[in-house]
Amino acid sequence: MSTPILEAEGLVKAWGGVRAVDGVSFSLAPGEMLALIGPNGAGKSTCFNMLNGQVRPDAGRVRLAGQDITGLPPRAVWRLGVGRTFQVTATFGSMSVRENVRLALLSHHRRLLGLWRPASHLHTAEAEALLERVGMAAQADRPCAVLAYGDLKRLELAMALAHAPRLLLMDEPTAGMAPAERGALMQQTAAIAREAGIAVLFTEHDMDVVFGHAQRVLVLERGRLIAGGAPEAVRADPRVRQVYLGGGHF
Amino acid sequence: MLAVEGLHAHYGRAHILHGVSLAVGAGEVVCLLGRNGAGKSTTMKAIMGLVPPSAGTVRLEGRDLAGQPPHAIARAGLGYVPEERRVFADLTVLENLEVGRRPPRPGLRPWTPQRLFALFPSLETLRHRPGGRMSGGEQQMLTIARTLMGNPRLLLLDEPSEGLAPVVVERMAEAIGTLKAEGLSILLSEQNLAFASAVGDRACILETGTPRHTMPMAELMRDAALRARYLSV
Amino acid sequence: MEALAVQALNGLASASSLFLVASGLTVIFGVSRIVNFAHGSLYMLGAYLAWTFVSHGPLAELGGFWGFWGGVLLAALAVGALGAVLEMTVLRRIYHAPELFQLLATFALVLVVQDVALLLWGADDKFGPRAPLLRGSVEILGLRFPRYELFLIAVGPVVLGLLWLLFHRTRFGILLRAATQDREMVSALGVDQRLLFTAVFFLGAALAGLGGALQLPREAVTLHMDMAIIVEAFVVVVIGGLGSLPGAFLAALLIGELHAFGILVFPRITLVLVFLVMAVVLVLRPHGLLGRAPGAPPAGEQSPPLPRPLPRGLALAAAGALAGLLLAAPFLGDYPLILLADFAVFILFAASLHFIMGPGGMASFGHAAYFGAGAYAAALLLRHLAAPMEAGLLLAPFAAGLVGLLFGWFCVRLSGVYAAMLTLAFAQIAWSVAFQWVEVTGGDNGILGVWPSEWARGRLAFFYLSVLLCGAGVLLLRRAIFAPFGLALRAQRDSPLRAEAIGIDGFRIRWLAFAYAAAFAGLAGALFAFGKGSVFPTYLGIPRSVDALLMVLLGGVQTVSGPILGAIAYAGLQEQLARLTELWRLLLGLVILALVLFFPRGLAGALAHWHDGRRERRA
């Protein structure tokens, strides 16, 4: 078996005395699609934010393809090949779609400090190719501020792809989208990931999305992993049903 | 009592509610159920005017409140208890209650700190404790008590059992039972199905910002397939 | 020893006055999030009104105890009422405007009040009577100490105590505290925020008015009281932590004593001491001594509009006007040429500030530091090394850029009002170095004889030189905005989270942008120095920083041509109004208010909007 692309080992994070994440360990194989699920407050977001350096773990390590990346800032994690999308989309509202992607490419090529040549002359073809991949080429000139929500999610994906990542972290990739759009976006994401051999780790509330696309599912509750494995096995796990439906008493 | 029709709401450009309709009768407890992200909290906030609804009506006793500022909606008789509790951390328990105080409403026995301490006995000993230095369960009781000080006709309770120890959840269910016995109408959002079934008369199931089913609570508890479809993994 | 004790008492007395003003400022900010620049004006009005009530009309006839103290109280209440009226008529309309716009509006009020006070009370200083019962002095440790000062020492803690009672023992106070923590929740509980806001402005303004009225027996009432107190009050509020009353009290004591003892211990750097302390506090505790990190901004994206070049028609018109000006210059007299050269300098100065405020999303209240750094660098080179103008103009941007690197390293870590106040602190430090390091800078007398080289000495040649250099500077800044660096700068402003997630180091980008802008401000400063033939500490003063701020805000922060239009409009308006009428501040203030209320996107924004509208109608 090859080296896992991502390994989390004993991750712990406490907020004001409460252990939001309490000893979480798992790994992700190259090209694998893994979903992290759990009820509200289970610690998914904290866990996620520790993986790309947004939150520093109190204990535990994160390794990317064997390299220890614990404590690196998000921008350094990105440089090492981890793309990220956010639960509430984060794009550059004052720019057009193309400029958003162009900026990710400028960062990829380490050309952010240019003061003279207009950015509009740089990496245009490359940006269009990325937009083409996520089906956004027709909207390249539109300001980000007028995009439909699903298109913003696609734009985020294109920006994450600009650095040719080995791993994509997607926090609730379909949140805030109309139900019909959700499947389409995930299908597209899965196709791109498969094609480029990118591993994907995502959190999600929409169970259709989770069980429709994940190869493996991890269930987090109160900061601990309580189940993990193939989707159908997880679905049948009595502990998981207990977490989602509550027991006979409370 | 409360009739919501075709409510739509957005966060920024994210379209969260796609036409929510529901009704709460006088003295009834209705549970909003659904998975995380189904739009339960947003429904509450949109009713309260905290997220301005982009379409739809919210009628309380026949009067349309949609589009009004939150303070006017509160004055009309809706009491909102947020999921995040939002107690005023620097204010003591008594001061928190004072912020919620509104004049008595005709036909309702006015709430006083004394009556609320009878409902939530643990608050009484903490009356001078700042809200920020209380446990989660105590904060949850305080935030309900604070809203009751406004003498609402209908209570919006957003996930009252979330993050609480089992014994506190039990206490909470008892308190809700008492309020119901007082004749208060309640719209309650829940993830804990056992809790909801213990306090609720009817269930309204949301999925991706759309109401899917409305039925008596007992019926939902008999229908395992439906529960699995909308609430389980 | 005795002298030290008396000095400590002096410090306490001034701390009390400072606290009265600062407490009002901090209470208003806590609830409404408005940074009220006009708070010093309310303080000044309190002093003038008290003087009027005490020395004219029925209360003056009454005389004695009630004549005086009644006048003081009446003045405080009148100022409070004025505060409430201002809230209802002006500030209520701009609660949702960007922070800087609120600041601009309150600054316009400063200008208006200045001239209204001049109209009503005239330019001469007013002296009030001594306070009944508190005349004369007492002996403390063998030294005489005025009774009134002792009284003032008591006023601070008494007011703090009364405010504590108000905030803890009354429903109104409890609501205010609740609103300071979570406004939205308070309104969800049925409280009408509008009443709360009006009331809090009444309270805050009355405190400022009381502070001013109590100065009556102590010092002359002048038209300079507003600016003198507002800067100190800001310092106190920021050191204490915005919104924190105990913090303001603590900070007022600190600053009061610092003033009292600074003179004894560090006579050479008294002016800088206060700002040094503020800088140290902010670097160590970015939200002041007792302040808290502000909550996350409300959800929902507010995307600033896309910056774009001027519409072609307007751009052609502008280019035509510039070409016409260059051709007509030889036929202009000396005065217009001087004026136009100044305009060029102001445009570059404003454009450099716009670079960090617009694309960068940072506020600076101390941009004059870099203007002055450039001016002094050129002047010192000329004076001490007899270097020619060319060397000075070459060195100035680098010197100012270095100062920008140094100050910016601290400033760009903070955000919002705190960042703005730190830039102000550094500018004041730079200013007091220029003011107090007399051997090198000539102090208040400045450096004279900073003349251009022989070839540029004629007004026409200097005009062309100014236009050339400023034009080049503006062009470089403009290119940078549309180059990758400008894109990265906007990116960290639009979404720090996303910028970081695609490998952009926001701190480094902001820091370099700060220094880059400082360099161009330095070039503008050096040109200004050669144009005037001299440099003075005022080049680094607060008024000059405020000028730049106003130019940028007037023009519109989110438009590339904004600073150019803003500089011309502001400098032109000031010049024209000053020639037309004595009351130019009043008019300027009203114009700014009108702009804030009716053209929230600034002049360039309004122009582009108008242009789009016309095109749509034609289509």
Side-chain angles (χ1 to χ4, degrees):
Chain A
M1 184 161 169
S2 58
T3 320
I5 183 73
L6 181 77
E7 279 174 285
E9 191 185 301
L11 287 180
V12 173
K13 182 74 201 180
W15 301 114
V18 180
R19 286 195 161 202
V21 172
D22 192 2
V24 166
S25 304
F26 64 90
S27 67
L28 189 63
E32 189 184 8
M33 210 154 178
L34 176 66
L36 181 65
I37 68 171
N40 253 350
K44 298 187 299 288
S45 292
T46 306
C47 195
F48 227 70
N49 288 338
M50 281 191 282
L51 296 178
N52 85 320
Q54 215 150 291
V55 168
R56 191 182 246 290
D58 296 339
R61 324 274 347 147
V62 180
R63 275 187 287 275
L64 185 73
Q67 181 186 354
D68 192 339
I69 60 165
T70 322
L72 288 183
R75 57 175 185 277
V77 176
W78 185 78
R79 289 248 169 259
L80 292 171
V82 179
R84 158 120 212 214
T85 69
F86 295 95
Q87 181 181 349
V88 176
T89 54
T91 53
F92 305 125
S94 74
M95 302 177 196
S96 71
V97 169
R98 189 187 289 108
E99 276 179 305
N100 268 271
V101 179
R102 193 197 312 278
L103 191 56
L105 288 165
L106 285 167
S107 178
H108 167 67
H109 294 288
R110 295 182 179 273
R111 295 179 72 170
L112 287 173
L113 297 184
L115 286 167
W116 181 254
R117 274 193 74 184
S120 54
H121 296 180
L122 302 168
H123 307 303
T124 305
E126 221 176 323
E128 317 244 288
L130 276 172
L131 288 171
E132 187 72 49
R133 261 171 95 186
V134 300
M136 288 283 292
Q139 309 208 51
D141 284 315
R142 299 185 75 195
C144 230
V146 304
L147 287 190
Y149 201 67
D151 289 341
L152 278 176
K153 296 257 179 189
R154 288 196 180 83
L155 173 57
E156 276 205 309
L157 185 57
M159 292 170 80
L161 293 174
H163 193 50
R166 294 179 278 177
L167 169 66
L168 269 180
L169 299 175
M170 305 181 84
D171 197 359
E172 301 198 19
T174 71
M177 292 174 71
E181 270 186 293
R182 298 180 176 213
L185 179 80
M186 278 318 278
Q187 222 118 51
Q188 198 170 21
T189 307
I192 291 172
R194 220 176 11 251
E195 206 175 291
I198 303 170
V200 179
L201 174 64
F202 67 102
T203 68
E204 185 56 63
H205 289 312
D206 187 323
M207 293 302 147
D208 293 340
V209 169
V210 171
F211 290 98
H213 295 95
Q215 291 157 359
R216 207 151 54 92
V217 178
L218 299 175
V219 186
L220 200 60
E221 200 224 3
R222 290 178 198 244
R224 292 166 183 273
L225 284 179
I226 58 159
E232 286 321 309
V234 166
R235 184 172 253 170
D237 190 319
R239 277 172 307 174
V240 177
R241 302 188 77 85
Q242 162 91 19
V243 164
Y244 271 83
L245 291 173
H249 58 88
F250 42 82
Chain B
M1 176 66 63
L2 177 73
V4 176
E5 285 288 337
L7 205 58
H8 285 255
H10 292 76
Y11 275 122
R13 267 160 299 132
H15 195 167
I16 305 291
L17 298 187
H18 304 261
V20 171
S21 301
L22 55 89
V24 183
E28 193 185 27
V29 177
V30 174
C31 295
L32 265 182
L33 301 173
R35 294 196 192 97
N36 264 343
K40 301 187 297 292
S41 288
T42 309
T43 302
M44 298 275 189
K45 286 185 181 157
I47 291 174
M48 201 58 209
L50 293 169
V51 174
S54 32
T57 59
V58 175
R59 284 180 202 284
L60 183 69
E61 296 175 307
R63 189 174 143 212
D64 189 8
L65 300 175
Q68 300 220 26
H71 75 261
I73 294 178
R75 286 175 183 194
L78 278 181
Y80 171 66
V81 180
E83 179 186 4
E84 322 84 307
R85 299 180 191 135
R86 294 167 81 165
V87 299
F88 302 112
D90 292 349
L91 272 59
T92 65
V93 166
L94 282 175
E95 287 172 337
N96 266 283
L97 295 181
E98 176 62 28
V99 177
R101 183 167 64 83
R102 306 286 323 157
R105 234 173 263 279
L108 290 184
R109 193 145 70 97
W111 286 99
T112 60
Q114 282 323 312
R115 277 190 72 204
L116 288 165
F117 292 152
L119 186 66
F120 299 115
S122 57
L123 287 184
E124 182 155 24
T125 50
L126 303 172
R127 58 212 305 177
H128 297 297
R129 170 89 54 98
R133 297 204 352 246
M134 296 166 72
S135 73
E138 290 157 359
Q139 286 190 348
Q140 184 66 56
M141 291 175 197
L142 174 57
T143 177
I144 294 176
R146 181 180 67 184
T147 300
L148 287 173
M149 283 296 284
N151 299 308
R153 292 191 184 281
L154 185 139
L155 205 54
L156 302 168
L157 277 177
D158 200 357
E159 307 232 358
S161 78
E162 191 201 328
L164 300 184
V167 52
V168 185
V169 175
E170 229 156 291
R171 185 89 39 78
M172 199 61 70
E174 275 165 35
I176 290 173
T178 312
L179 293 176
K180 183 172 147 61
E182 290 260 341
L184 194 63
S185 314
I186 297 175
L187 177 64
L188 173 142
S189 83
E190 252 316 322
Q191 297 229 28
N192 183 336
L193 190 61
F195 179 81
S197 71
V199 300
D201 299 317
R202 278 193 305 136
C204 173
I205 296 179
L206 284 187
E207 189 186 51
T208 57
T210 317
R212 297 293 185 199
H213 292 278
T214 303
M215 65 187 65
M217 203 72 214
E219 199 174 303
L220 174 66
M221 294 318 285
R222 282 195 298 271
D223 191 340
L226 196 71
R227 290 205 304 275
R229 170 74 188 90
Y230 290 111
L231 306 179
S232 182
V233 292
Chain C
M1 191 59 225
E2 290 80 2
L4 283 185
V6 167
Q7 204 62 12
L9 288 176
N10 275 328
L12 288 179
S14 44
S16 271
S17 316
L18 210 48
F19 171 66
L20 283 187
V21 182
S23 63
L25 196 60
T26 211
V27 166
I28 289 179
F29 176 84
V31 175
S32 71
R33 304 284 143 184
I34 288 221
V35 176
N36 183 18
F37 217 91
H39 213 67
S41 309
L42 297 170
Y43 167 86
M44 179 175 77
L45 282 179
Y48 271 114
L49 283 172
W51 176 82
T52 300
F53 292 145
V54 168
S55 48
H56 298 84
L59 279 172
E61 277 161 37
L62 185 67
F65 180 84
W66 288 110
F68 179 84
W69 293 107
V72 166
L73 278 184
L74 198 59
L77 291 177
V79 174
L82 179 68
V85 169
L86 287 179
E87 194 276 337
M88 288 188 281
T89 50
V90 178
L91 298 167
R92 180 171 292 180
R93 297 161 189 275
I94 52 170
Y95 282 133
H96 298 290
E99 229 166 35
L100 283 169
F101 252 80
Q102 300 170 349
L103 208 70
L104 187 62
T106 59
F107 186 77
L109 290 175
V110 172
L111 293 174
V112 171
V113 170
Q114 267 280 329
D115 269 358
V116 169
L118 178 67
L119 264 181
L120 290 177
W121 287 286
D124 50 331
D125 296 356
K126 303 278 184 267
F127 295 91
R130 304 268 193 77
L133 302 184
L134 296 173
R135 296 197 174 104
S137 50
V138 289
E139 209 161 277
I140 295 174
L141 297 168
L143 289 168
R144 295 169 64 74
F145 194 76
R147 275 174 208 271
Y148 191 75
E149 300 286 293
L150 276 183
F151 162 76
L152 275 187
I153 291 176
V155 164
V158 166
V159 168
L160 180 65
L162 287 176
L163 285 174
W164 189 90
L165 284 176
L166 175 75
F167 278 101
H168 289 84
R169 292 288 177 266
T170 68
R171 174 171 169 83
F172 171 66
I174 290 171
L175 290 181
L176 283 187
R177 276 163 62 218
T180 303
Q181 288 172 47
D182 188 343
R183 274 194 288 185
E184 194 186 56
M185 195 61 227
V186 169
S187 103
L189 289 168
V191 178
D192 188 348
Q193 293 189 33
R194 280 175 305 179
L195 288 176
L196 219 51
F197 283 20
T198 307
V200 86
F201 267 90
F202 175 85
L203 175 66
L207 283 168
L210 182 64
L214 286 177
Q215 297 306 305
L216 202 52
R218 248 185 132 201
E219 53 180 280
V221 182
T222 73
L223 289 169
H224 305 295
M225 290 176 83
D226 53 351
M227 275 303 161
I229 195 85
I230 189 63
V231 174
E232 296 250 296
F234 265 131
V235 169
V236 164
V237 167
V238 165
I239 289 183
L242 284 166
S244 164
L245 268 181
F249 187 72
L250 216 63
L253 286 183
L254 182 68
I255 297 301
E257 292 300 333
L258 210 58
H259 273 311
F261 286 103
I263 277 211
L264 299 180
V265 186
F266 307 104
R268 302 251 332 165
I269 57 163
T270 47
L271 295 170
V272 74
L273 213 50
V274 169
F275 293 97
L276 264 180
V277 168
M278 176 160 95
V280 169
V281 167
L282 283 185
V283 167
L284 295 179
R285 289 190 61 96
H287 302 105
L289 291 175
L290 300 182
R292 287 198 199 137
E301 300 151 72
Q302 295 180 311
S303 298
L306 302 171
R308 50 176 195 180
L310 267 185
R312 184 165 292 274
L314 291 177
L316 280 176
L322 180 62
L325 199 61
L326 291 176
L327 289 176
F331 309 103
L332 293 175
D334 270 2
Y335 181 70
L337 283 177
I338 294 174
L339 207 62
L340 288 171
D342 283 354
F343 276 23
V345 166
F346 290 145
I347 287 174
L348 179 58
F349 186 33
S352 70
L353 177 60
H354 170 265
F355 188 69
I356 49 176
M357 280 178 68
M362 304 174 260
S364 172
F365 289 2
H367 205 53
Y370 316 102
F371 186 84
Y376 270 96
L380 289 172
L381 203 64
L382 194 91
R383 182 181 178 181
H384 294 286
L385 299 175
M389 174 188 78
E390 293 80 355
L393 287 178
L394 195 67
L395 175 79
F398 289 98
L402 271 180
V403 176
L405 273 182
L406 177 67
F407 291 175
W409 193 78
F410 297 101
C411 296
V412 305
R413 284 161 198 278
L414 306 187
S415 61
V417 181
Y418 289 101
M421 290 310 288
L422 195 56
T423 56
L424 174 74
F426 279 117
Q428 284 301 95
I429 291 169
W431 171 79
S432 43
V433 168
F435 194 82
Q436 288 187 308
W437 197 8
V438 181
E439 297 85 344
V440 174
T441 64
D444 201 15
N445 296 323
I447 300 172
L448 305 179
V450 188
W451 294 113
S453 299
E454 198 57 46
W455 62 268
R457 211 159 276 186
R459 286 295 161 201
L460 184 64
F462 195 77
F463 163 75
Y464 281 130
L465 177 68
S466 300
V467 170
L468 180 73
L469 288 181
C470 293
V474 170
L475 179 70
L476 279 167
L477 284 166
R478 201 188 137 80
R479 291 289 295 214
I481 289 180
F482 292 103
F485 184 74
L487 224 53
L489 190 60
R490 271 158 58 201
Q492 61 79 33
R493 173 200 70 185
D494 284 2
S495 173
L497 194 66
R498 166 55 67 195
E500 181 78 24
I502 58 167
I504 296 175
D505 184 344
F507 169 75
R508 200 163 67 127
I509 296 284
R510 281 198 303 277
W511 186 33
L512 292 178
F514 198 89
Y516 195 61
F520 287 103
L523 177 62
L527 265 173
F528 194 69
F530 286 113
K532 300 290 171 237
S534 50
V535 294
F536 298 104
T538 53
Y539 285 22
L540 309 116
I542 294 174
R544 189 160 301 276
S545 292
V546 170
D547 281 349
L549 203 60
L550 288 177
M551 290 174 196
V552 170
L553 291 173
L554 267 184
V557 178
Q558 299 310 344
T559 41
V560 183
S561 48
I564 300 174
L565 271 177
I568 294 172
Y570 181 75
L573 211 58
Q574 204 174 19
E575 151 80 19
Q576 285 302 312
L577 290 176
R579 276 205 299 187
L580 277 178
T581 161
E582 288 284 296
L583 301 175
W584 62 272
R585 286 189 203 84
L586 178 65
L587 283 176
L588 187 62
L590 291 176
V591 168
I592 294 174
L593 268 185
L595 277 171
V596 169
L597 293 178
F598 303 116
F599 300 101
R601 278 186 246 162
L603 287 174
L607 204 61
H609 193 71
W610 168 79
H611 185 269
D612 288 355
R614 249 178 35 143
R615 207 170 41 183
E616 263 163 42
R617 271 196 302 280
R618 248 183 285 151

